[in-house]
Amino acid sequence: MTEKKFSQKKLLSVAGLGWMFDAMDVGMLSFIIAALSAEWDLTPGQMGWIGSVNSIGMAVGALIFGIMADRIGRKHIFIITLLMFSLASGLSAFTTTLTIFLILRFFVGMGLGGELPVASTLVSESVPAKDRGRVIVLLESFWAFGWLLSALISYFVIPSYGWQTALIISAIPALYALYLRIKLPDSPVFSPSKTEKRSIWQNVSDVWSKEYARSTFVLWVLWFTVVFSYYGMFLWLPSVMVMKGFSMIQSFEYVLIMTLAQLPGYYSAAWLIERMGRKFVLVTYLLGTAASALAFGNAETTTMLMLSGILLSFFNLGAWGALYAYSPEQYPAVIRGTGSGMAAAVGRIGGILGPLLVGSLVSANYSISFIFTIFCISIVIGVAAVAFFGKETRQLELT
C-alpha cells in the first residue's frame, strides 16, 4: 500500500466517521419524534416543528461555518461543528419541556449543517480528480451506517430504556472530535495567505458573479428540492408507518429494513459516478426517488409499502452522494466553502418547510398520497434544473 493511498483511506475513514455520527443523530430524531409524540402528547404541528427547528439550525450553520471555512480552514470548522452538535445532542436528553428541547435541537442543527458541506469540501480538495466523485459518494455512504446505527439504537434502546438514553449515546462523538484535532490534516489547497486578502462580502458576492451564477442557480434549486423532500419524507417515515396502521415497534422494524437499502444505493452511485458522470447519476437517481415517493404514498399493502420504501432509500441516498460530490466542484478554492455552504443553507430552508408542511397537511386531514405527490413534484423540479442548466464536472481538476 502506498503512502498516498493510505492517506486517502485514512482521510475517508476520519471524515466518514464524523459523517456517520451526523447521520446517527438525524436518523435517531425521526424515531425520537415518534416517541415524544406519545410521551408528551404532541400535536402533528409540534412534531413538525421538532424537525424544522433542526433544519433552521442547519441553515444557519451551513451559511456561517461555510463562510468561516474559507477564512480559518476546513479542519478547524470540522472539529468545532462536530463538538457543537455532539454536546447539544447529549444535553437535550435532560430536557423536560418542548421549548428547551427545541432550543438545543437548533444548536445540534447548527453543528450538523456546518459540518456536512465543510467535510465534503475538505475531502474533495484532498483527492485526485479521477477518484474524487467515487470517494465523496463513499464518504456519503457513511450516512447509511449512521442511519442504520440510529435505527438499531432506536429499536433496542428507546422502547426499553427511553429516548433520553438514546440521546446520551449520541453525545459520544464529542470525544471523537478531540481525537480529530490531533489526527486530521487540513486541505492541501487551502491557503490562509490568499483568504486574508479577501473579505467575507467579496466571497459571498463572487458566488453570484457572472462566472458562477449558473452553477449557483442549479445548486440552490437542486439543494432546496432534494432537502425539502428528504426531510419531509424521512423524518416522518416512522410516524407515517404508524398512521398507516402499524405499531411503533413494527414501524421501527420496517424503517430499519428500508435503511439497509441505502448502502447498495450509495455503492452503485459510487460505481457509476466516474463512469457516467455527475449529471447522469443525479438525474437517474432523483427520477427513481420521485417514482418511489409516488408509489410509497399510494401503497395499500405491506408488500408494496416495503418495496417502495426500499427503493426510496436506494435512489434517494445515492442521489445525495452525487450531490455532495457535485457541489464543491462548482467553485475555486477561495470561495468553495462559501459556495457549498450557501447552497446547503438554501437547502436547509427546504428542510424547515418539509416537516412543517407534512405536520400542517396531516392536521388538515390530507392523505399521505397527496403529501408524497408534492415531494415527487419537488424532486422532478430539481431534476429539470440539473438536466437543462447543470454542467458536467467529471474529471475536473480542483484549484
Side-chain angles (χ1 to χ4, degrees):
M1 182 185 294
T2 66
E3 173 118 11
K4 184 177 181 182
K5 287 184 178 178
F6 176 79
S7 300
Q8 185 173 306
K9 288 183 177 180
K10 187 174 182 180
L11 176 64
L12 178 61
S13 64
V14 169
L17 285 173
W19 208 284
M20 184 180 76
F21 293 139
D22 289 356
M24 183 178 74
D25 186 272
V26 173
M28 218 181 302
L29 182 61
S30 65
F31 297 98
I32 288 170
I33 289 173
L36 286 178
S37 173
E39 185 172 323
W40 288 357
D41 194 25
L42 302 179
T43 66
Q46 289 173 321
M47 292 166 68
W49 266 110
I50 293 175
S52 292
V53 78
N54 203 63
S55 290
I56 293 171
M58 291 180 88
V60 174
L63 180 62
I64 293 175
F65 291 120
I67 292 171
M68 287 176 64
D70 283 335
R71 300 292 296 173
I72 66 172
R74 288 50 162 141
K75 171 185 175 178
H76 299 300
I77 297 302
F78 185 46
I79 294 169
I80 291 168
T81 53
L82 197 58
L83 275 171
M84 178 181 286
F85 92 74
S86 301
L87 296 176
S89 182
L91 287 172
S92 63
F94 302 99
T95 59
T96 55
T97 66
L98 180 61
T99 301
I100 301 299
F101 187 82
L102 290 175
I103 292 170
L104 286 170
R105 286 311 309 183
F106 172 81
F107 287 105
V108 170
M110 273 193 72
L112 287 169
E115 193 272 338
L116 295 174
V118 171
S120 62
T121 297
L122 172 61
V123 176
S124 291
E125 293 174 338
S126 306
V127 176
K130 64 183 180 64
D131 301 323
R132 188 173 58 245
R134 177 179 58 83
V135 171
I136 293 297
V137 178
L138 289 176
L139 169 65
E140 172 70 3
S141 74
F142 279 82
W143 187 271
F145 288 107
W147 196 280
L148 182 61
L149 189 59
S150 76
L152 289 170
I153 291 171
S154 299
Y155 180 69
F156 289 108
V157 173
I158 292 178
S160 302
Y161 303 101
W163 56 270
Q164 296 92 338
T165 303
L167 282 173
I168 291 172
I169 292 173
S170 75
I172 292 173
L175 301 176
Y176 178 69
L178 299 177
Y179 166 81
L180 285 180
R181 186 180 295 275
I182 302 170
K183 300 291 183 180
L184 187 69
D186 210 337
S187 165
V189 303
F190 173 74
S191 173
S193 61
K194 289 183 180 178
T195 60
E196 287 170 2
K197 298 175 183 178
R198 298 176 59 87
S199 67
I200 290 174
W201 174 247
Q202 186 179 358
N203 285 354
V204 171
S205 60
D206 277 1
V207 168
W208 274 107
S209 65
K210 185 177 180 180
E211 187 175 358
Y212 304 111
R214 177 177 165 182
S215 295
T216 300
F217 166 76
V218 171
L219 283 186
W220 284 25
V221 173
L222 195 56
W223 270 93
F224 182 89
T225 54
V226 169
V227 181
F228 169 76
S229 55
Y230 174 81
Y231 281 93
M233 292 187 295
F234 281 83
L235 277 185
W236 275 86
L237 212 52
S239 300
V240 167
M241 298 292 286
V242 172
M243 292 174 198
K244 284 183 174 281
F246 298 97
S247 69
M248 185 180 295
I249 299 296
Q250 285 177 315
S251 76
F252 284 8
E253 288 177 354
Y254 290 147
V255 172
L256 177 58
I257 294 169
M258 292 175 194
T259 301
L260 290 172
Q262 294 181 12
L263 289 170
Y266 283 125
Y267 296 143
S268 60
W271 188 83
L272 287 168
I273 198 164
E274 297 298 358
R275 291 167 174 81
M276 305 299 293
R278 280 63 162 148
K279 288 181 64 174
F280 174 85
V281 173
L282 281 167
V283 169
T284 304
Y285 280 64
L286 286 175
L287 286 176
T289 301
S292 303
L294 201 60
F296 185 87
N298 288 279
E300 295 181 356
T301 65
T302 302
T303 302
M304 191 62 195
L305 198 66
M306 288 302 299
L307 179 60
S308 57
I310 287 169
L311 290 174
L312 186 66
S313 287
F314 175 91
F315 285 114
N316 190 263
L317 278 300
W320 267 104
L323 179 60
Y324 273 107
Y326 191 59
S327 298
E329 295 174 338
Q330 308 301 312
Y331 305 105
V334 289
I335 60 168
R336 187 167 292 130
T338 301
S340 298
M342 288 176 70
V346 170
R348 301 307 170 187
I349 295 173
I352 297 165
L353 298 177
L356 282 178
L357 178 69
V358 176
S360 61
L361 291 179
V362 167
S363 297
N365 295 319
Y366 282 89
S367 67
I368 299 299
S369 172
F370 177 80
I371 293 169
F372 273 71
T373 300
I374 293 174
F375 294 132
C376 173
I377 294 169
S378 167
I379 294 163
V380 170
I381 292 171
V383 168
V386 72
F388 293 111
F389 302 105
K391 62 180 182 181
E392 181 55 60
T393 55
R394 182 175 53 163
Q395 303 301 316
L396 178 71
E397 293 289 346
L398 297 187
T399 57

Coordinates of all heavy atoms in Angstrom, one line a residue, residues 229-280:
S229 N -37.7 17.5 0.1 CA -38.4 16.2 0.0 C -37.8 15.2 1.0 O -38.5 14.4 1.6 CB -38.3 15.7 -1.4 OG -37.0 15.7 -1.9
Y230 N -36.5 15.2 1.2 CA -35.8 14.2 2.0 C -36.3 14.4 3.5 O -36.8 13.4 4.1 CB -34.3 14.4 2.0 CG -33.6 13.5 3.0 CD1 -33.4 12.2 2.7 CD2 -33.1 14.0 4.2 CE1 -32.7 11.3 3.5 CE2 -32.5 13.2 5.1 CZ -32.3 11.8 4.8 OH -31.6 11.0 5.7
Y231 N -36.2 15.6 4.0 CA -36.6 15.7 5.4 C -38.1 15.7 5.6 O -38.6 15.2 6.7 CB -36.1 17.1 6.0 CG -34.6 16.9 6.3 CD1 -33.6 17.3 5.4 CD2 -34.2 16.4 7.6 CE1 -32.3 17.1 5.7 CE2 -32.9 16.3 7.9 CZ -31.9 16.6 7.0 OH -30.6 16.5 7.3
G232 N -38.9 16.1 4.6 CA -40.3 15.9 4.7 C -40.7 14.4 4.7 O -41.6 14.1 5.5
M233 N -40.0 13.6 3.9 CA -40.4 12.2 3.9 C -39.7 11.4 5.0 O -40.4 10.7 5.7 CB -40.0 11.6 2.5 CG -40.8 12.1 1.4 SD -40.4 11.3 -0.2 CE -38.7 11.8 -0.5
F234 N -38.4 11.5 5.2 CA -37.7 10.6 6.1 C -37.8 10.9 7.5 O -37.8 10.0 8.4 CB -36.2 10.5 5.7 CG -36.0 9.6 4.5 CD1 -36.1 10.1 3.2 CD2 -35.6 8.3 4.6 CE1 -35.9 9.3 2.1 CE2 -35.4 7.5 3.5 CZ -35.5 8.0 2.2
L235 N -38.0 12.2 7.9 CA -38.2 12.5 9.3 C -39.6 12.0 9.8 O -39.8 11.7 11.0 CB -38.0 14.0 9.6 CG -36.6 14.5 9.8 CD1 -36.6 16.0 10.2 CD2 -35.9 13.7 10.9
W236 N -40.5 11.9 8.8 CA -41.8 11.5 9.2 C -42.1 10.0 8.9 O -43.1 9.5 9.1 CB -42.9 12.3 8.3 CG -43.2 13.6 9.0 CD1 -42.5 14.8 8.9 CD2 -44.3 13.8 9.9 NE1 -43.2 15.8 9.6 CE2 -44.3 15.2 10.2 CE3 -45.3 13.1 10.4 CZ2 -45.2 15.8 11.1 CZ3 -46.3 13.7 11.2 CH2 -46.2 15.0 11.6
L237 N -41.0 9.3 8.4 CA -41.2 7.9 8.0 C -41.8 7.0 9.1 O -42.8 6.3 8.9 CB -39.9 7.3 7.4 CG -40.0 6.3 6.3 CD1 -40.9 6.8 5.2 CD2 -38.6 6.0 5.8
P238 N -41.2 6.9 10.3 CA -41.8 6.1 11.3 C -43.2 6.5 11.7 O -44.0 5.6 11.9 CB -40.8 6.3 12.5 CG -39.5 6.7 11.9 CD -39.9 7.6 10.7
S239 N -43.4 7.8 11.8 CA -44.8 8.3 12.1 C -45.8 8.0 11.0 O -46.9 7.6 11.3 CB -44.7 9.8 12.3 OG -43.9 10.1 13.4
V240 N -45.3 8.1 9.7 CA -46.2 7.7 8.6 C -46.6 6.2 8.7 O -47.8 5.9 8.4 CB -45.6 8.0 7.3 CG1 -46.3 7.4 6.1 CG2 -45.5 9.6 7.1
M241 N -45.6 5.4 9.1 CA -45.9 4.0 9.2 C -47.0 3.7 10.3 O -47.8 2.9 10.1 CB -44.6 3.2 9.5 CG -43.5 3.3 8.5 SD -44.0 2.4 6.9 CE -43.8 0.7 7.5
V242 N -46.9 4.5 11.4 CA -47.9 4.4 12.4 C -49.2 4.8 11.9 O -50.3 4.2 12.2 CB -47.5 5.2 13.7 CG1 -48.6 5.3 14.7 CG2 -46.2 4.6 14.3
M243 N -49.3 5.9 11.1 CA -50.5 6.4 10.6 C -51.2 5.4 9.6 O -52.4 5.3 9.5 CB -50.3 7.7 9.8 CG -49.9 8.9 10.7 SD -49.5 10.3 9.7 CE -48.6 11.3 10.8
K244 N -50.3 4.6 9.0 CA -50.8 3.5 8.1 C -51.3 2.3 8.8 O -51.6 1.3 8.2 CB -49.8 3.2 7.0 CG -49.7 4.3 5.9 CD -48.7 3.9 4.9 CE -48.6 4.9 3.7 NZ -49.8 4.7 2.8
G245 N -51.2 2.3 10.2 CA -51.8 1.2 10.9 C -50.8 0.3 11.6 O -51.2 -0.7 12.3
F246 N -49.5 0.6 11.5 CA -48.6 -0.3 12.2 C -48.3 0.3 13.6 O -48.4 1.4 13.9 CB -47.3 -0.3 11.4 CG -47.4 -0.9 10.0 CD1 -47.6 0.0 8.9 CD2 -47.4 -2.3 9.8 CE1 -47.8 -0.6 7.6 CE2 -47.6 -2.8 8.5 CZ -47.8 -1.9 7.4
S247 N -47.9 -0.6 14.5 CA -47.5 -0.2 15.8 C -46.1 0.5 15.7 O -45.4 0.4 14.7 CB -47.3 -1.4 16.8 OG -46.2 -2.2 16.4
M248 N -45.7 1.2 16.8 CA -44.4 1.9 16.8 C -43.3 0.9 16.6 O -42.3 1.2 15.9 CB -44.2 2.7 18.1 CG -43.0 3.5 18.1 SD -42.8 4.5 19.7 CE -44.2 5.6 19.6
I249 N -43.3 -0.3 17.3 CA -42.3 -1.3 17.2 C -42.2 -1.8 15.7 O -41.1 -1.9 15.2 CB -42.5 -2.5 18.1 CG1 -42.5 -2.0 19.6 CG2 -41.5 -3.5 17.9 CD1 -41.2 -1.4 20.0
Q250 N -43.4 -2.1 15.1 CA -43.4 -2.5 13.7 C -42.8 -1.5 12.8 O -42.1 -1.8 11.9 CB -44.8 -2.8 13.3 CG -45.4 -4.1 13.8 CD -46.8 -4.3 13.4 OE1 -47.7 -3.4 13.5 NE2 -47.2 -5.5 13.0
S251 N -43.2 -0.2 13.1 CA -42.7 0.9 12.2 C -41.1 1.0 12.3 O -40.5 1.2 11.3 CB -43.3 2.2 12.5 OG -42.8 2.8 13.7
F252 N -40.6 0.8 13.5 CA -39.1 0.8 13.6 C -38.5 -0.3 12.9 O -37.5 -0.2 12.2 CB -38.8 0.7 15.1 CG -39.0 2.0 15.9 CD1 -39.6 3.1 15.4 CD2 -38.5 2.1 17.2 CE1 -39.8 4.3 16.1 CE2 -38.7 3.3 17.9 CZ -39.4 4.4 17.4
E253 N -39.1 -1.5 12.9 CA -38.6 -2.7 12.2 C -38.6 -2.4 10.7 O -37.6 -2.7 10.0 CB -39.5 -3.9 12.5 CG -39.3 -4.5 13.9 CD -40.3 -5.6 14.1 OE1 -41.1 -5.9 13.2 OE2 -40.2 -6.3 15.2
Y254 N -39.7 -1.9 10.2 CA -39.8 -1.7 8.7 C -38.8 -0.6 8.2 O -38.2 -0.7 7.2 CB -41.2 -1.4 8.3 CG -42.1 -2.6 8.5 CD1 -43.5 -2.4 8.8 CD2 -41.7 -3.9 8.2 CE1 -44.3 -3.5 8.9 CE2 -42.5 -4.9 8.4 CZ -43.9 -4.8 8.7 OH -44.7 -5.8 8.8
V255 N -38.7 0.5 9.0 CA -37.8 1.5 8.7 C -36.3 1.0 8.7 O -35.5 1.4 7.9 CB -38.0 2.8 9.6 CG1 -36.9 3.8 9.3 CG2 -39.3 3.4 9.3
L256 N -36.0 0.2 9.7 CA -34.7 -0.4 9.7 C -34.4 -1.2 8.5 O -33.3 -1.1 7.9 CB -34.6 -1.4 11.0 CG -33.3 -2.1 11.2 CD1 -32.1 -1.2 11.3 CD2 -33.4 -3.0 12.4
I257 N -35.3 -2.0 8.0 CA -35.1 -2.8 6.7 C -34.9 -1.8 5.5 O -34.1 -2.0 4.7 CB -36.4 -3.7 6.5 CG1 -36.4 -4.8 7.6 CG2 -36.3 -4.3 5.1 CD1 -37.7 -5.6 7.6
M258 N -35.8 -0.8 5.5 CA -35.6 0.2 4.4 C -34.2 0.9 4.4 O -33.7 1.2 3.4 CB -36.7 1.3 4.5 CG -38.1 0.8 4.3 SD -39.3 2.2 4.6 CE -40.9 1.2 4.7
T259 N -33.7 1.1 5.6 CA -32.4 1.8 5.8 C -31.3 0.9 5.2 O -30.4 1.5 4.6 CB -32.1 2.0 7.3 OG1 -33.2 2.8 7.8 CG2 -30.8 2.7 7.5
L260 N -31.4 -0.4 5.2 CA -30.4 -1.2 4.7 C -30.2 -1.0 3.2 O -29.1 -1.2 2.6 CB -30.7 -2.7 4.9 CG -30.6 -3.2 6.4 CD1 -31.2 -4.6 6.5 CD2 -29.2 -3.1 6.8
A261 N -31.3 -0.6 2.5 CA -31.3 -0.3 1.0 C -30.4 0.9 0.7 O -30.1 1.1 -0.5 CB -32.7 -0.2 0.5
Q262 N -30.1 1.7 1.7 CA -29.3 2.9 1.4 C -27.9 2.5 0.9 O -27.3 3.1 0.1 CB -29.1 3.8 2.6 CG -30.5 4.4 3.1 CD -30.3 5.3 4.3 OE1 -29.2 5.6 4.7 NE2 -31.4 5.7 4.9
L263 N -27.3 1.4 1.5 CA -26.0 1.0 1.2 C -25.8 0.6 -0.3 O -24.9 1.2 -1.0 CB -25.5 -0.1 2.1 CG -25.3 0.3 3.6 CD1 -25.2 -0.9 4.4 CD2 -24.1 1.2 3.7
P264 N -26.6 -0.3 -0.9 CA -26.4 -0.5 -2.3 C -26.7 0.7 -3.2 O -26.1 0.9 -4.3 CB -27.4 -1.6 -2.6 CG -28.3 -1.7 -1.5 CD -27.6 -1.2 -0.3
G265 N -27.5 1.6 -2.7 CA -27.8 2.9 -3.4 C -26.5 3.7 -3.5 O -26.2 4.2 -4.6
Y266 N -25.8 3.8 -2.4 CA -24.5 4.6 -2.4 C -23.5 3.9 -3.2 O -22.8 4.5 -4.1 CB -24.0 4.7 -0.9 CG -24.7 5.7 -0.1 CD1 -25.2 5.4 1.2 CD2 -24.7 7.0 -0.5 CE1 -25.8 6.3 2.0 CE2 -25.3 8.0 0.4 CZ -25.9 7.6 1.6 OH -26.4 8.5 2.4
Y267 N -23.3 2.6 -3.1 CA -22.2 1.9 -3.8 C -22.5 1.8 -5.3 O -21.5 1.9 -6.0 CB -22.1 0.5 -3.2 CG -21.6 0.5 -1.7 CD1 -22.1 -0.4 -0.8 CD2 -20.8 1.5 -1.2 CE1 -21.7 -0.4 0.5 CE2 -20.4 1.5 0.1 CZ -20.8 0.6 1.0 OH -20.4 0.6 2.3
S268 N -23.7 1.7 -5.7 CA -24.0 1.7 -7.1 C -23.7 3.1 -7.7 O -23.2 3.3 -8.8 CB -25.4 1.3 -7.4 OG -26.4 2.2 -6.8
A269 N -24.1 4.2 -6.9 CA -23.8 5.5 -7.4 C -22.3 5.8 -7.4 O -21.8 6.5 -8.3 CB -24.5 6.5 -6.4
A270 N -21.6 5.3 -6.4 CA -20.1 5.4 -6.4 C -19.5 4.8 -7.6 O -18.5 5.3 -8.2 CB -19.5 4.8 -5.1
W271 N -20.0 3.6 -8.1 CA -19.5 2.9 -9.2 C -19.8 3.7 -10.5 O -19.0 3.7 -11.4 CB -20.1 1.5 -9.3 CG -19.5 0.6 -10.3 CD1 -18.4 -0.1 -10.3 CD2 -20.0 0.4 -11.7 NE1 -18.1 -0.8 -11.4 CE2 -19.1 -0.5 -12.3 CE3 -21.1 0.9 -12.3 CZ2 -19.3 -0.9 -13.6 CZ3 -21.4 0.4 -13.6 CH2 -20.5 -0.5 -14.3
L272 N -21.0 4.3 -10.6 CA -21.4 5.0 -11.8 C -20.9 6.4 -12.0 O -20.7 6.8 -13.1 CB -23.0 5.0 -11.9 CG -23.7 3.7 -12.1 CD1 -25.2 3.9 -11.9 CD2 -23.5 3.3 -13.6
I273 N -20.6 7.1 -10.9 CA -20.3 8.5 -11.0 C -19.1 8.9 -11.8 O -19.0 9.9 -12.4 CB -20.3 9.1 -9.6 CG1 -20.5 10.6 -9.6 CG2 -19.0 8.8 -8.8 CD1 -20.9 11.3 -8.3
E274 N -18.1 8.0 -11.7 CA -16.9 8.3 -12.5 C -16.9 7.7 -13.9 O -16.2 8.0 -14.8 CB -15.6 7.7 -11.8 CG -15.3 8.4 -10.5 CD -15.0 9.9 -10.6 OE1 -15.0 10.5 -11.7 OE2 -14.8 10.5 -9.5
R275 N -17.9 6.8 -14.2 CA -18.1 6.2 -15.5 C -19.1 6.9 -16.3 O -18.9 7.2 -17.5 CB -18.6 4.7 -15.3 CG -17.5 3.8 -14.8 CD -18.0 2.5 -14.3 NE -16.9 1.6 -13.9 CZ -16.4 1.6 -12.7 NH1 -16.7 2.5 -11.8 NH2 -15.4 0.7 -12.4
M276 N -20.2 7.4 -15.7 CA -21.3 8.0 -16.4 C -21.4 9.5 -16.2 O -22.1 10.2 -16.9 CB -22.6 7.4 -16.1 CG -22.7 5.9 -16.3 SD -22.4 5.4 -18.0 CE -23.9 6.1 -18.8
G277 N -20.8 10.0 -15.1 CA -20.8 11.4 -14.8 C -21.7 11.8 -13.7 O -22.6 11.0 -13.3
R278 N -21.5 13.0 -13.2 CA -22.4 13.5 -12.1 C -23.8 13.7 -12.5 O -24.8 13.4 -11.8 CB -21.8 14.8 -11.5 CG -20.6 14.7 -10.6 CD -19.4 14.2 -11.2 NE -18.2 14.4 -10.4 CZ -17.2 13.6 -10.4 NH1 -17.2 12.5 -11.0 NH2 -16.1 14.0 -9.7
K279 N -24.0 14.3 -13.6 CA -25.4 14.7 -14.1 C -26.2 13.4 -14.3 O -27.4 13.3 -13.9 CB -25.4 15.5 -15.4 CG -24.9 16.9 -15.1 CD -24.9 17.7 -16.4 CE -26.3 17.9 -17.0 NZ -26.3 18.8 -18.2
F280 N -25.6 12.4 -14.9 CA -26.3 11.1 -15.1 C -26.8 10.5 -13.8 O -28.0 10.1 -13.7 CB -25.4 10.1 -15.9 CG -26.0 8.8 -16.0 CD1 -26.9 8.5 -17.1 CD2 -25.8 7.8 -15.1 CE1 -27.5 7.2 -17.2 CE2 -26.4 6.5 -15.2 CZ -27.2 6.2 -16.3

